Amino acid sequence: MRKPPAWRGPGLVLVALAAIFAVAPRLYSNESVLFTMMTFMALAQGLNLLYGFTGYLPFGYVGFFGTGAYATSLLVTFTSLPVIAAVLLGGLAAVVVGLILGPLFRLSGPYFSIANLAASQIIYNVVANEALKPITGGPYGIKIEHVYAPTASYVTMLAILLAATALAAYFRRSRFGLGLRAMHQDPISASLAGVDIVRERLIAWLASAAIAGLAGGAYAWNLSVFYPEAVFTLQISVFAIVFALFGGVGTVIGPLLGAALLYAFYAGIGVSAPQYFELLYGLLIVLLVLFLPNGLASLLTRRNVDVL
Amino acid sequence: MRTHLKRAWTACAAGLLASGLALSAAAAQTAPSEIKIGTLYASSGPFAVASEGQYHGLQYWAAGVNKSGGVFVKAFNKKIPVKIVAYDDQSSTATATTLYNQLITQDHVDILMADFGSVLTSVAIPLAAEHHMLLIDPTGSGANFFTKKTNYLADVSIPSSTVWPLPLAHFILAQKIKRVAIVYGSNDFDASQAETLKATLEKGGVKPVYYHGVPTTESNYTVLLHTIAAHNPEAVIELGYAPNDIAFLHALAGSGLHFNMTFTIFPGQLLALMEKNVGAKTLAYTYTYPTPPLVAYPKTTLGPNTAAFVKEFTAAEKAAPNFLDAAGFNTGLIMQQMLATAPKFTQLDFHQALMDMSGKTTTLLGEFKINSHGAQMGELPPVAQLVPAGKGVTPVVVYPQDKATGKAIYPAPKK
């Protein structure tokens, strides 16, 4: 029997994602829910690129998101670039910040996570600093209302989600991703086997930063009037981490499923029974930690199903 | 011939009557069974206390109008009950964005009202404009919001941050105070006020001797106070949120420093909370902006005056109202009058109705006056000094003269 081509599974996931989010606004007119769901799916997938494949957990992942949001907004404010180009450059700005923070990889485990968290807060405090009011708007926020375009920003976020998913599929199926996973298991053995640990880890880190930066840019475009707290709130990091863990990191569909299900649950409770929100959400996470520590994807892998 | 004419007239009259009946029947058909007012509140997070107060005030207003059969809607020439559709945004802007959209696209509310404060209002502004809905903004006073002409934004229950401190600046100039120190939180609400205060003082020939922003999370003012004292100011103006004011007044009491005039914002809004946290002795002889119900507007053109509101609210809710309750109630009143005067049931007519009310309406919060950018230019709080009364303190309005209930004790006596 012929083995199916390697791209078929990822291709199907990408087509399904594109189809679902292209059709969804016709069935459900609250586009903000769909947009925010895609944002968290992209962020969970971006975080998965780093945490799922290298084991480095960036608590301050929101720093890249906020960087992308502000870089995009500033480019829109001070240049005549098209918004799409500004979003792409927002992703690039996050990559530059990622390069500057590269030395954080001298740390590992919780030390890396805490240092990353501190770095994100430093970026936040710089952006929100009053001395930078003429440039970033400081604590008074930023306004790019003149380019507000919910549909265009929705399509852009969908493209970013597809790009993040394609990258995760590449990480999952390629020799490069195999090297990352080997490094995750045992860095010394991987190094002895010829894996360039520093280079590969940095690539994963920058790819992860780029996704967050791009998502931040599209998010800023969709919000268009916001204060620094809106794009640097730690809630964004927490949600991205919880969603990715819920679905199962190190896979392609895990973070997508985790973010889609948990966010839908979050939005649903928020509308129908907000008084029970904290209770139900907390309960769900406790159950997850107790019974599915490796996420939803582990339900299949336990049964020897090859999960993408 | 005459018979023909008579028949023609009869036919015309019958036709007119029929079309009139048909029109009124159509109007009756299109009148909604309830007016849906969509809003958000925060039951948790940093804005919870203020947001719940505002929401409570709105609920109190809605209960009152529904008891009398609803609000009169001019477009349908009848009273219609009010229904509040509200969701909990937990002080999160991301959640607020989706919930505002929910109110517009799923619940199809007739009137959209923002949550408390500038942060949670900000995300609703582009959404409302995109959906051509007028955003009723009770307490979002960010200077950033009101930069261009709009039909889709109206700040109704709090003055824009850029005009709020005008009476304070004029009081300082009238008192001939020359050395002023200003310390403010680095956020839209406080910094916009600090800028206006500085600019107005400078226009009056007083250049602040100290002008410094601190993080909104600042909780220790001890070092800062000694730095300020080194500049030898006569007046120290601290513009912050309630936790900043509490920390500042605590530090001042513990520092042994004394200034002729000390000003903070929140004793004028949440006096009971401030008394409980810093004590009446520390608050004595300090200045504040007294907001209703601490300052009363006896003559109103719309709704009860401040004293009547306090009495009715206290009787119904078994607790005295604070400013945020009054702001929520006032927002309800303004919407009520808007519906009573808008000739058609459209968002643009709602906006025009508010513009028509502007400058001609006085409520329990003072004069309602909005500009074409949607900013509230009225409802300016006066300046009051908190003077000892029994075990607590009571505000005495000292500026402007026409609202004054006493004279400022200046310089403040040493405690």
Side-chain angles (χ1 to χ4, degrees), chain B residues 277-303:
Chain B
N277 279 279
V278 300
K281 196 179 162 199
T282 305
L283 286 172
Y285 304 108
T286 65
Y287 294 77
T288 188
Y289 301 131
T291 49
L294 287 180
V295 60
Y297 289 93
K299 284 184 190 161
T300 59
T301 58
L302 177 64

Side-chain angles (χ1 to χ4, degrees), chain A residues 13-62:
Chain A
V13 172
L14 290 175
V15 169
L17 267 182
I20 290 168
F21 283 103
V23 172
R26 292 172 199 281
L27 305 172
Y28 183 60
S29 56
N30 187 345
E31 239 179 54
S32 292
V33 167
L34 301 169
F35 180 86
T36 314
M37 183 184 278
M38 284 197 297
T39 306
F40 282 118
M41 286 169 84
L43 283 174
Q45 196 66 281
L47 186 120
N48 180 39
L49 295 179
L50 184 70
Y51 180 56
F53 293 90
T54 70
Y56 282 84
L57 180 60
F59 277 168
Y61 195 50
V62 68

Side-chain angles (χ1 to χ4, degrees), chain B residues 125-190:
Chain B
I125 294 171
L127 264 180
E130 171 74 12
H131 291 275
H132 302 292
M133 283 206 77
L134 170 65
L135 178 67
I136 302 287
D137 162 16
T139 46
S141 61
N144 238 349
F145 300 170
F146 314 110
T147 52
K148 63 173 187 188
K149 203 172 170 213
T150 177
N151 291 326
Y152 301 113
L153 178 64
D155 168 11
V156 298
S157 292
I158 205 169
S160 165
S161 298
T162 50
V163 297
W164 201 335
L166 290 177
L168 172 63
H170 295 149
F171 171 72
I172 291 170
L173 293 172
Q175 285 291 118
K176 302 197 187 320
I177 297 170
K178 297 289 179 203
R179 298 184 66 81
V180 180
I182 302 170
V183 56
Y184 58 93
S186 293
N187 57 68
D188 201 352
F189 173 67
D190 296 313

